[in-house]
Amino acid sequence: MICTKKQSSVTALGALFIALAPGEPTSATYSAEPLFDTVNTYQTTITTNGDPADIYFPIPSNYNTNTNPFPIALMLQGALVDKVDYANFASTVASYGFVVIVPNHERTVTNPRTGEPVTGFIAEQQQVNDVLSYMKQENANPASPIAGIINTNKLGLLGHSFGGFVGLAVIQDICVPRVCAGNFTQPPEVMAGIFYGTNFKDPLETGSFPPINNQRIPTALIAGSQDTIADLVEITATYNQIQDPPKALVIVKGANHYGITNEDNPVRDPVRPLLDQDIATETIARWSALFLRSHLLNDTAAFDYLYNSGDDQDENVIVIHPINPRSESALPSN
């Protein structure tokens, strides 16, 4: 059974769409502001696989990174989307206390419809292990800008579109054709994942929605109501197949498939957003960061915002989640 204060059933999509126009600003006290005012970034190369990457990290002020180092958040890019297009999103997530890494992973795959090769930025599962190994190196490297500030035991996954599909495969610890080269073993550091504009069809283009055995790893989806590439029906079907709570579905009213990027993409998503691009990106980043804080850091304030009060304060979202998430071990013990 599913509950939400604004919608009692994810199957009642007709009624849901009535409520999907962007809301007016709320007068309620905003309680989910970033924890860090300054975020720095630098460019690097992931030595374990050669990918160029951008890393975003908060600048602490009166914060002890020796006792409270920052977890890692890996952003798995959407197909053919350059890492620089996630700069605003990644910087906002980092401001909530994460070291965010956004790689450009270029490879060639075969288009299943045409049989032709396609070369471009296309995420795959092995990136998770490669990035984790590299971040451990950076944390131990005294010349690195992020030396000694990373909690390398905690990795959260972010993803957009195809990258979210990769993330869902990682969380299930399965090796999916075209997103997994050879064997894949999920590292124990993976503790949560939240993905925007993502469905999990099998096969990718034409299949049904199989059960997602997330092995009690907290898993959430964010959907834009204007998304025509991964539409709300597909994302809802994917959400319903996530087997283990804690889980959540956050619907951003008026955002399209590229609400997560710096700019809209009218070529690839023909439907224009109804929500301002900057507001959409901040909203997606904020809810992503607070989901990771809830389940990587046992942040009770973030947890309360996510599961109880946040959708009352943010008129641009509808939040769906199982009843009584606390009773379903939503807060991990580690």
Side-chain angles (χ1 to χ4, degrees):
M1 186 176 180
I2 303 297
C3 80
T4 171
K5 289 185 285 294
K6 297 183 176 69
Q7 179 69 24
S8 62
S9 172
V10 295
T11 61
L13 287 175
L16 181 61
F17 275 107
I18 296 174
L20 289 181
E24 295 299 321
T26 177
S27 60
T29 301
Y30 179 72
S31 61
E33 296 179 353
L35 302 178
F36 299 91
D37 294 329
T38 304
V39 171
N40 276 4
T41 182
Y42 69 100
Q43 297 178 337
T44 187
T45 298
I46 300 171
T47 56
T48 45
N49 64 11
D51 288 348
D54 297 331
I55 293 180
Y56 301 79
F57 61 100
I59 301 301
S61 176
N62 300 320
Y63 182 89
N64 190 341
T65 55
N66 292 322
T67 57
N68 296 291
F70 302 123
I72 304 164
L74 166 60
M75 176 62 187
L76 296 161
Q77 68 200 133
L80 309 181
V81 182
D82 193 286
K83 60 184 174 60
V84 299
D85 293 323
Y86 298 110
N88 294 341
F89 170 80
S91 180
T92 300
V93 173
S95 72
Y96 284 86
F98 296 94
V99 177
V100 181
I101 180 165
V102 189
N104 265 350
H105 188 70
E106 187 171 358
R107 63 190 181 106
T108 300
V109 299
T110 300
N111 186 321
R113 290 177 175 155
T114 66
E116 297 294 323
V118 177
T119 299
F121 302 131
I122 304 171
E124 65 178 318
Q125 290 177 237
Q126 185 55 34
Q127 285 181 258
V128 173
N129 288 300
D130 290 337
V131 165
L132 183 59
S133 295
Y134 176 71
M135 295 300 272
K136 290 178 179 179
Q137 294 174 17
E138 282 290 272
N139 198 47
N141 177 8
S144 169
I146 53 176
I149 71 169
I150 311 173
N151 184 341
T152 57
N153 294 317
K154 294 186 176 184
L155 172 62
L157 300 180
L158 305 163
H160 175 212
S161 193
F162 186 86
F165 182 97
V166 173
L168 287 171
V170 168
I171 281 176
Q172 296 173 82
D173 197 15
I174 57 177
C175 191
V176 178
R178 288 199 292 135
V179 304
C180 177
N183 296 321
F184 173 79
T185 300
Q186 179 197 93
E189 290 85 354
V190 173
M191 298 183 65
I194 181 166
F195 311 110
Y196 181 74
T198 293
N199 64 59
F200 197 79
K201 286 184 181 179
D202 185 18
L204 284 170
E205 288 80 12
T206 60
S208 59
F209 299 90
I212 296 173
N213 178 17
N214 57 317
Q215 308 172 96
R216 298 199 67 82
I217 294 175
T219 304
L221 303 176
I222 306 184
S225 69
Q226 294 293 102
D227 193 333
T228 62
I229 296 176
D231 65 38
L232 185 55
V233 173
E234 295 173 327
I235 295 175
T236 299
T238 300
Y239 168 77
N240 285 336
Q241 290 290 62
I242 298 172
Q243 299 297 289
D244 296 331
K247 65 177 187 175
L249 170 60
V250 179
I251 301 169
V252 181
K253 296 182 282 186
N256 74 357
H257 194 67
Y258 291 93
I260 193 172
T261 55
N262 295 349
E263 297 178 353
D264 184 25
N265 190 327
V267 174
R268 299 189 68 187
D269 190 338
V271 174
R272 302 282 53 76
L274 303 176
L275 188 63
D276 177 83
Q277 189 75 14
D278 289 342
I279 295 174
T281 304
E282 186 279 331
T283 300
I284 297 163
R286 169 168 32 95
W287 285 88
S288 297
L290 293 175
F291 184 82
L292 294 185
R293 286 197 63 87
S294 296
H295 299 296
L296 270 67
L297 294 170
N298 297 335
D299 184 330
T300 55
F303 184 97
D304 182 70
Y305 184 89
L306 179 72
Y307 292 107
N308 296 306
S309 65
D311 58 351
D312 284 336
Q313 298 181 54
D314 188 341
E315 288 295 324
N316 292 316
V317 305
I318 296 172
V319 182
I320 297 166
H321 59 81
I323 293 175
N324 297 325
R326 286 186 186 274
S327 68
E328 296 170 312
S329 301
L331 285 173
S333 59
N334 56 341

